[in-house]
Coordinates of all heavy atoms in Angstrom, one line a residue:
M1 N -4.3 19.3 18.7 CA -3.4 19.5 17.6 C -2.1 18.7 17.9 O -1.5 18.9 18.9 CB -3.1 21.0 17.4 CG -2.2 21.2 16.2 SD -2.0 22.9 15.8 CE -1.2 23.6 17.3
L2 N -1.8 17.8 17.0 CA -0.6 17.0 17.2 C 0.6 17.7 16.6 O 0.6 18.1 15.4 CB -0.8 15.6 16.5 CG 0.4 14.7 16.5 CD1 0.9 14.4 17.9 CD2 0.0 13.4 15.8
Q3 N 1.7 17.8 17.4 CA 2.9 18.4 16.8 C 4.0 17.4 17.0 O 4.2 16.7 18.1 CB 3.3 19.7 17.6 CG 2.3 20.8 17.2 CD 2.8 22.1 17.6 OE1 3.1 22.4 18.8 NE2 3.0 23.0 16.6
A4 N 4.8 17.2 16.0 CA 5.9 16.2 16.0 C 7.2 17.0 15.8 O 7.3 17.7 14.8 CB 5.7 15.2 14.9
G5 N 8.2 16.7 16.6 CA 9.5 17.3 16.5 C 10.5 16.2 16.2 O 10.5 15.1 16.8
V6 N 11.5 16.4 15.3 CA 12.5 15.5 15.1 C 13.9 16.2 15.0 O 14.0 17.3 14.6 CB 12.3 14.7 13.7 CG1 11.1 13.8 13.8 CG2 12.1 15.7 12.6
D7 N 14.9 15.5 15.5 CA 16.2 16.0 15.5 C 17.1 15.0 14.9 O 17.3 13.9 15.5 CB 16.6 16.4 17.0 CG 18.1 16.9 17.1 OD1 18.7 17.0 16.0 OD2 18.5 17.1 18.2
I8 N 17.6 15.2 13.7 CA 18.4 14.2 13.0 C 19.7 14.9 12.5 O 19.7 16.0 12.0 CB 17.6 13.7 11.7 CG1 16.3 13.1 12.2 CG2 18.5 12.8 10.9 CD1 15.4 12.8 11.0
T9 N 20.8 14.2 12.8 CA 22.1 14.6 12.3 C 22.3 13.9 11.0 O 22.2 12.7 10.9 CB 23.2 14.3 13.3 OG1 23.0 15.1 14.5 CG2 24.6 14.7 12.7
H10 N 22.6 14.6 9.9 CA 22.8 14.0 8.6 C 23.6 14.9 7.7 O 23.5 16.1 7.9 CB 21.4 13.6 8.0 CG 21.5 12.6 6.9 ND1 21.8 12.9 5.6 CD2 21.3 11.3 6.9 CE1 21.8 11.8 4.8 NE2 21.5 10.8 5.6
T11 N 24.3 14.3 6.8 CA 25.1 15.2 5.9 C 24.4 15.6 4.6 O 25.0 16.4 3.8 CB 26.5 14.5 5.5 OG1 26.2 13.2 5.0 CG2 27.4 14.4 6.8
C12 N 23.2 15.0 4.4 CA 22.4 15.5 3.2 C 21.0 15.2 3.5 O 20.5 14.1 3.2 CB 22.9 14.8 1.9 SG 21.9 15.3 0.5
R13 N 20.3 16.1 4.1 CA 18.9 15.8 4.5 C 17.9 15.6 3.4 O 16.9 15.0 3.6 CB 18.4 17.0 5.4 CG 18.2 18.3 4.7 CD 17.9 19.4 5.6 NE 17.7 20.7 5.0 CZ 17.7 21.9 5.6 NH1 17.9 21.9 6.9 NH2 17.6 23.0 4.9
G14 N 18.3 16.0 2.2 CA 17.4 15.7 1.1 C 17.2 14.2 0.8 O 16.3 13.8 0.2
D15 N 18.1 13.4 1.4 CA 18.0 11.9 1.2 C 16.8 11.4 2.1 O 16.4 10.2 1.9 CB 19.2 11.2 1.8 CG 20.5 11.4 0.9 OD1 20.4 12.1 -0.1 OD2 21.5 10.8 1.3
L16 N 16.4 12.1 3.1 CA 15.6 11.6 4.1 C 14.1 11.7 3.9 O 13.6 12.7 3.5 CB 15.9 12.2 5.5 CG 17.4 12.1 5.9 CD1 17.6 12.9 7.2 CD2 17.8 10.7 6.1
V17 N 13.4 10.6 4.2 CA 11.9 10.5 4.3 C 11.6 10.2 5.7 O 12.1 9.2 6.3 CB 11.4 9.5 3.4 CG1 9.8 9.4 3.5 CG2 11.7 9.7 1.9
V18 N 10.8 11.1 6.4 CA 10.5 10.9 7.8 C 9.0 10.7 7.9 O 8.2 11.6 7.5 CB 11.0 12.1 8.6 CG1 10.7 11.8 10.1 CG2 12.4 12.3 8.4
D19 N 8.5 9.6 8.5 CA 7.1 9.4 8.8 C 6.9 9.2 10.3 O 7.8 8.8 11.0 CB 6.6 8.1 8.1 CG 6.6 8.2 6.6 OD1 6.0 9.2 6.1 OD2 7.2 7.3 6.0
L20 N 5.7 9.5 10.7 CA 5.3 9.3 12.1 C 4.3 8.1 12.0 O 3.3 8.2 11.3 CB 4.7 10.5 12.7 CG 4.1 10.4 14.1 CD1 5.2 10.1 15.1 CD2 3.4 11.7 14.5
V21 N 4.5 7.0 12.8 CA 3.7 5.9 12.7 C 2.8 5.8 14.0 O 3.4 5.7 15.1 CB 4.5 4.6 12.5 CG1 3.6 3.4 12.4 CG2 5.4 4.7 11.3
A22 N 1.5 5.8 13.8 CA 0.6 5.8 14.9 C 0.4 4.4 15.4 O 0.9 3.4 14.8 CB -0.8 6.3 14.4
P23 N -0.2 4.2 16.6 CA -0.3 2.9 17.2 C -1.1 1.9 16.3 O -0.8 0.7 16.4 CB -1.1 3.2 18.5 CG -0.7 4.6 18.8 CD -0.6 5.3 17.5
D24 N -2.0 2.4 15.5 CA -2.7 1.5 14.6 C -2.0 1.2 13.3 O -2.5 0.6 12.4 CB -4.1 2.0 14.4 CG -4.1 3.3 13.5 OD1 -3.1 3.8 13.2 OD2 -5.3 3.7 13.2
G25 N -0.8 1.8 13.1 CA 0.0 1.6 11.9 C -0.2 2.6 10.8 O 0.5 2.6 9.8
S26 N -1.1 3.6 11.1 CA -1.2 4.7 10.1 C 0.1 5.5 10.1 O 0.7 5.7 11.1 CB -2.3 5.7 10.6 OG -3.5 5.0 10.8
A27 N 0.5 5.9 8.9 CA 1.7 6.7 8.8 C 1.4 8.1 8.3 O 0.6 8.3 7.4 CB 2.7 6.0 7.8
Y28 N 2.0 9.0 9.0 CA 1.9 10.4 8.6 C 3.2 11.0 8.2 O 4.2 10.9 8.9 CB 1.4 11.2 9.8 CG 0.0 10.8 10.3 CD1 -0.1 9.9 11.3 CD2 -1.1 11.3 9.7 CE1 -1.3 9.4 11.8 CE2 -2.4 10.8 10.1 CZ -2.5 9.9 11.2 OH -3.7 9.5 11.6
R29 N 3.3 11.5 7.0 CA 4.5 12.0 6.4 C 4.9 13.3 7.0 O 4.1 14.2 7.0 CB 4.4 12.1 4.9 CG 5.5 12.6 4.1 CD 6.7 11.7 3.9 NE 6.5 10.3 3.9 CZ 6.5 9.4 2.8 NH1 6.8 9.9 1.7 NH2 6.3 8.2 3.0
L30 N 6.1 13.3 7.6 CA 6.6 14.6 8.2 C 7.5 15.3 7.2 O 7.7 16.5 7.2 CB 7.4 14.3 9.5 CG 6.6 13.6 10.6 CD1 7.5 13.5 11.8 CD2 5.3 14.4 10.9
K31 N 8.3 14.5 6.4 CA 9.2 15.1 5.5 C 9.4 14.1 4.3 O 9.6 12.9 4.5 CB 10.6 15.3 6.2 CG 11.6 15.9 5.3 CD 13.0 15.8 6.0 CE 14.1 16.3 5.0 NZ 14.0 15.7 3.7
S32 N 9.4 14.7 3.1 CA 9.7 13.9 1.9 C 11.2 14.1 1.5 O 11.8 15.1 1.9 CB 8.8 14.4 0.8 OG 7.4 14.2 1.1
A33 N 11.6 13.2 0.6 CA 13.0 13.4 0.1 C 13.0 14.6 -0.9 O 12.0 14.9 -1.5 CB 13.4 12.1 -0.6
S34 N 14.1 15.2 -1.1 CA 14.3 16.3 -2.0 C 15.7 16.3 -2.6 O 16.7 16.5 -1.9 CB 14.0 17.6 -1.3 OG 14.4 18.7 -2.1
S35 N 15.8 16.1 -3.9 CA 17.1 16.0 -4.5 C 17.8 17.4 -4.6 O 18.9 17.5 -4.9 CB 16.9 15.5 -6.0 OG 16.1 16.3 -6.7
S36 N 17.0 18.5 -4.3 CA 17.6 19.8 -4.4 C 18.0 20.3 -3.0 O 18.4 21.5 -2.9 CB 16.6 20.8 -5.0 OG 15.4 20.9 -4.3
D37 N 17.8 19.5 -2.0 CA 18.2 20.0 -0.6 C 19.3 19.2 -0.1 O 19.1 18.1 0.4 CB 16.9 19.8 0.3 CG 17.2 20.4 1.7 OD1 18.3 20.9 1.9 OD2 16.2 20.3 2.5
S38 N 20.5 19.7 -0.2 CA 21.7 19.0 0.3 C 22.2 19.5 1.6 O 23.4 19.3 2.0 CB 22.8 19.0 -0.8 OG 23.2 20.4 -1.0
A39 N 21.4 20.4 2.3 CA 21.9 20.9 3.6 C 22.0 19.9 4.6 O 21.5 18.7 4.5 CB 20.9 22.0 4.0
D40 N 22.6 20.2 5.8 CA 22.8 19.3 6.9 C 21.6 19.2 7.8 O 21.0 20.3 8.0 CB 24.0 19.7 7.7 CG 25.3 19.6 7.1 OD1 25.4 18.9 6.0 OD2 26.3 20.1 7.6
G41 N 21.3 18.0 8.2 CA 20.5 17.9 9.4 C 19.0 18.3 9.3 O 18.6 19.1 8.4
V42 N 18.2 17.8 10.2 CA 16.8 18.2 10.4 C 16.6 18.4 11.9 O 16.9 17.6 12.7 CB 15.9 17.0 9.9 CG1 14.4 17.4 10.1 CG2 16.1 16.7 8.5
D43 N 16.1 19.6 12.2 CA 15.7 19.9 13.6 C 14.5 20.8 13.5 O 14.7 22.0 13.4 CB 16.9 20.5 14.3 CG 16.6 20.7 15.8 OD1 15.5 20.2 16.3 OD2 17.5 21.2 16.6
T44 N 13.4 20.2 13.5 CA 12.2 20.9 13.3 C 11.0 20.4 14.0 O 11.0 19.2 14.4 CB 11.9 20.9 11.8 OG1 10.8 21.8 11.5 CG2 11.5 19.6 11.3
T45 N 10.0 21.2 14.2 CA 8.7 20.7 14.8 C 7.6 21.1 13.8 O 7.6 22.2 13.3 CB 8.4 21.4 16.1 OG1 9.5 21.0 17.0 CG2 7.1 20.9 16.7
C46 N 6.8 20.1 13.4 CA 5.7 20.4 12.5 C 4.4 19.9 13.0 O 4.3 19.0 13.8 CB 6.0 19.9 11.1 SG 6.4 18.1 11.1
T47 N 3.3 20.6 12.6 CA 2.0 20.2 12.9 C 1.5 19.1 12.0 O 1.7 19.1 10.8 CB 1.0 21.4 12.8 OG1 1.5 22.4 13.6 CG2 -0.4 21.0 13.1
V48 N 0.9 18.0 12.6 CA 0.5 16.9 11.9 C -1.1 16.9 11.8 O -1.7 17.0 12.9 CB 1.0 15.6 12.5 CG1 0.6 14.3 11.7 CG2 2.5 15.6 12.7
N49 N -1.6 16.8 10.6 CA -3.1 16.7 10.5 C -3.5 15.2 10.7 O -3.4 14.4 9.8 CB -3.5 17.1 9.1 CG -5.0 17.1 8.9 OD1 -5.7 17.2 9.9 ND2 -5.4 17.1 7.7
A50 N -3.9 15.0 12.0 CA -4.2 13.6 12.4 C -5.4 13.6 13.3 O -5.4 13.3 14.4 CB -3.0 12.9 13.1
P51 N -6.6 13.9 12.7 CA -7.8 14.0 13.5 C -8.2 12.7 14.1 O -8.1 11.6 13.5 CB -8.9 14.5 12.5 CG -8.3 14.1 11.1 CD -6.8 14.2 11.3
G52 N -8.6 12.7 15.4 CA -9.0 11.5 16.1 C -7.9 10.7 16.7 O -8.2 9.8 17.5
E53 N -6.7 11.1 16.5 CA -5.6 10.3 17.1 C -5.3 10.8 18.5 O -5.5 12.0 18.8 CB -4.3 10.5 16.3 CG -4.4 9.9 14.9 CD -4.2 8.4 14.8 OE1 -4.3 7.8 15.9 OE2 -4.0 7.9 13.7
T54 N -5.0 9.9 19.4 CA -4.7 10.3 20.8 C -3.3 9.8 21.1 O -2.7 9.0 20.4 CB -5.7 9.7 21.7 OG1 -5.5 8.3 21.8 CG2 -7.1 10.0 21.3
A55 N -2.9 10.1 22.3 CA -1.5 9.7 22.8 C -1.5 8.2 23.2 O -0.4 7.7 23.4 CB -1.1 10.6 24.0
D56 N -2.7 7.6 23.3 CA -2.7 6.2 23.8 C -2.0 5.3 22.8 O -2.2 5.4 21.6 CB -4.2 5.7 23.9 CG -4.9 6.5 25.0 OD1 -4.2 7.0 25.9 OD2 -6.1 6.5 25.0
G57 N -1.2 4.4 23.3 CA -0.5 3.4 22.5 C 0.9 3.9 22.2 O 1.4 4.9 22.7
T58 N 1.6 3.2 21.3 CA 3.0 3.4 21.0 C 3.1 4.1 19.6 O 2.8 3.5 18.6 CB 3.7 2.0 20.9 OG1 3.6 1.4 22.2 CG2 5.2 2.3 20.6
W59 N 3.6 5.3 19.7 CA 4.0 6.0 18.4 C 5.4 5.8 18.1 O 6.2 5.8 19.0 CB 3.7 7.5 18.7 CG 2.2 7.8 18.7 CD1 1.4 7.6 19.8 CD2 1.4 8.4 17.7 NE1 0.1 8.0 19.5 CE2 0.1 8.5 18.2 CE3 1.7 8.9 16.4 CZ2 -0.9 9.1 17.5 CZ3 0.7 9.4 15.7 CH2 -0.6 9.5 16.2
K60 N 5.8 5.8 16.9 CA 7.2 5.6 16.5 C 7.5 6.5 15.3 O 6.7 6.7 14.4 CB 7.4 4.2 16.0 CG 7.3 3.1 17.1 CD 7.5 1.7 16.6 CE 6.4 1.3 15.7 NZ 6.4 -0.1 15.4
P61 N 8.7 7.0 15.3 CA 9.2 7.7 14.1 C 9.8 6.7 13.1 O 10.2 5.6 13.6 CB 10.3 8.6 14.6 CG 10.9 7.8 15.8 CD 9.7 7.0 16.4
R62 N 9.7 7.0 11.9 CA 10.3 6.1 10.9 C 11.1 7.0 9.9 O 10.6 7.8 9.2 CB 9.3 5.3 10.1 CG 9.9 4.3 9.1 CD 8.8 3.4 8.5 NE 7.8 4.2 7.7 CZ 6.6 3.7 7.5 NH1 6.2 2.6 7.9 NH2 5.7 4.5 6.8
V63 N 12.4 6.8 9.9 CA 13.3 7.6 9.1 C 13.9 6.7 8.0 O 14.5 5.6 8.4 CB 14.4 8.2 9.9 CG1 15.3 9.1 9.0 CG2 13.8 9.1 11.0
Q64 N 13.8 7.0 6.8 CA 14.3 6.3 5.7 C 15.4 7.2 5.0 O 15.1 8.3 4.7 CB 13.3 5.9 4.7 CG 12.1 5.0 5.3 CD 11.0 4.9 4.3 OE1 11.1 4.1 3.4 NE2 9.9 5.6 4.5
D65 N 16.5 6.6 4.7 CA 17.6 7.3 3.9 C 17.5 6.7 2.5 O 17.8 5.5 2.3 CB 18.9 7.1 4.6 CG 20.0 7.9 3.9 OD1 19.9 8.1 2.7 OD2 20.9 8.3 4.7
T66 N 17.1 7.5 1.5 CA 16.8 7.0 0.2 C 18.0 7.0 -0.8 O 17.9 6.7 -1.9 CB 15.7 7.8 -0.4 OG1 16.1 9.2 -0.6 CG2 14.4 7.8 0.4
A67 N 19.2 7.5 -0.3 CA 20.3 7.5 -1.2 C 21.6 7.1 -0.5 O 21.7 7.1 0.7 CB 20.5 9.0 -1.7
A68 N 22.5 6.6 -1.3 CA 23.8 6.1 -0.7 C 24.7 7.3 -0.3 O 24.3 8.4 -0.5 CB 24.5 5.2 -1.8
Q69 N 25.8 7.0 0.2 CA 26.9 7.9 0.6 C 26.6 8.7 1.9 O 27.2 8.3 2.9 CB 27.2 8.9 -0.6 CG 27.7 8.2 -1.8 CD 28.0 9.2 -2.9 OE1 27.3 10.2 -3.1 NE2 29.1 8.9 -3.7
D70 N 25.8 9.7 1.8 CA 25.6 10.5 3.0 C 24.8 9.7 4.1 O 23.9 9.0 3.7 CB 24.8 11.8 2.7 CG 25.7 12.7 1.9 OD1 26.6 13.3 2.5 OD2 25.4 12.9 0.7
T71 N 25.2 9.8 5.3 CA 24.6 9.1 6.4 C 24.3 10.0 7.6 O 24.8 11.1 7.6 CB 25.4 7.9 6.9 OG1 26.7 8.4 7.3 CG2 25.7 6.9 5.7
G72 N 23.6 9.4 8.6 CA 23.4 10.2 9.8 C 22.8 9.4 10.8 O 22.8 8.2 10.8
R73 N 22.2 10.1 11.8 CA 21.5 9.3 12.9 C 20.4 10.2 13.5 O 20.4 11.4 13.4 CB 22.5 9.0 14.0 CG 23.1 10.2 14.7 CD 24.0 9.9 15.9 NE 24.4 11.1 16.6 CZ 25.5 11.8 16.2 NH1 26.1 11.5 15.2 NH2 25.8 12.9 16.9
T74 N 19.4 9.5 14.1 CA 18.3 10.2 14.8 C 18.7 10.5 16.2 O 19.1 9.5 16.9 CB 17.0 9.4 14.7 OG1 16.7 9.1 13.4 CG2 15.9 10.1 15.4
N75 N 18.7 11.7 16.6 CA 19.1 12.1 18.0 C 18.0 12.1 18.9 O 18.2 11.7 20.1 CB 19.7 13.5 18.0 CG 21.0 13.6 17.1 OD1 21.8 12.8 17.2 ND2 21.0 14.6 16.2
G76 N 16.8 12.4 18.5 CA 15.7 12.5 19.3 C 14.4 12.9 18.6 O 14.5 13.4 17.5
W77 N 13.3 12.7 19.3 CA 12.0 13.1 18.7 C 11.0 13.3 19.8 O 11.3 12.8 20.9 CB 11.5 12.1 17.7 CG 11.1 10.8 18.2 CD1 12.0 9.9 18.8 CD2 9.8 10.2 18.4 NE1 11.3 8.8 19.2 CE2 10.0 9.0 19.0 CE3 8.6 10.7 18.0 CZ2 8.9 8.2 19.2 CZ3 7.5 9.9 18.3 CH2 7.6 8.6 18.9
R78 N 10.0 14.0 19.6 CA 9.0 14.3 20.6 C 7.6 14.5 20.0 O 7.5 15.0 18.8 CB 9.4 15.5 21.4 CG 9.5 16.8 20.6 CD 10.4 17.8 21.3 NE 10.7 18.9 20.4 CZ 11.7 18.9 19.5 NH1 12.5 17.9 19.5 NH2 11.9 19.9 18.7
L79 N 6.6 14.2 20.7 CA 5.2 14.4 20.3 C 4.5 15.3 21.3 O 4.7 15.1 22.5 CB 4.5 13.1 20.1 CG 4.9 12.2 19.0 CD1 4.1 10.9 19.0 CD2 4.8 12.9 17.6
T80 N 3.7 16.2 20.9 CA 2.9 17.0 21.7 C 1.4 16.9 21.2 O 1.2 17.2 20.1 CB 3.3 18.5 21.8 OG1 4.7 18.5 22.1 CG2 2.5 19.2 22.8
F81 N 0.5 16.4 22.1 CA -0.9 16.3 21.7 C -1.7 17.4 22.2 O -1.4 18.0 23.3 CB -1.5 15.0 22.2 CG -1.0 13.7 21.5 CD1 0.2 13.2 21.9 CD2 -1.7 13.2 20.4 CE1 0.7 12.1 21.2 CE2 -1.2 12.1 19.8 CZ 0.0 11.5 20.1
Ligands
CA1 CA1 22.1 8.7 2.4

């Protein structure tokens, strides 16, 4: 079971779309944008449905900020296979 944790400082987390990109380029959505969620930051761990994927290769987080004004930064992330 693959678990992905992300720690993001941001002033409006509803702006954010977070994906996990596998070594072969497959993207797994961890978080979608939400216009109704204006709370601060993301610090969560979620289970990713990614059958057949292994730790081999380079995994990357991809964070997109879909709206102007509010900004932030990614502090860290982790994967557990
Ligand atoms: Ca923004």
Side-chain angles (χ1 to χ4, degrees):
M1 182 171 63
L2 173 57
Q3 289 194 301
V6 290
D7 177 3
I8 300 169
T9 297
H10 197 278
T11 51
C12 180
R13 66 187 178 196
D15 290 2
L16 301 176
V17 177
V18 183
D19 291 310
L20 176 63
V21 183
D24 69 355
S26 307
Y28 298 94
R29 178 75 25 111
L30 302 182
K31 180 193 176 307
S32 299
S34 170
S35 59
S36 61
D37 184 0
S38 61
D40 288 351
V42 178
D43 188 0
T44 188
T45 299
C46 53
T47 300
V48 182
N49 183 22
E53 296 281 14
T54 71
D56 292 340
T58 302
W59 289 77
K60 294 178 290 190
R62 182 171 65 201
V63 182
Q64 303 171 76
D65 187 327
T66 62
Q69 297 181 324
D70 291 289
T71 61
R73 66 176 182 277
T74 302
N75 300 312
W77 66 292
R78 60 199 170 274
L79 293 179
T80 305
F81 287 85

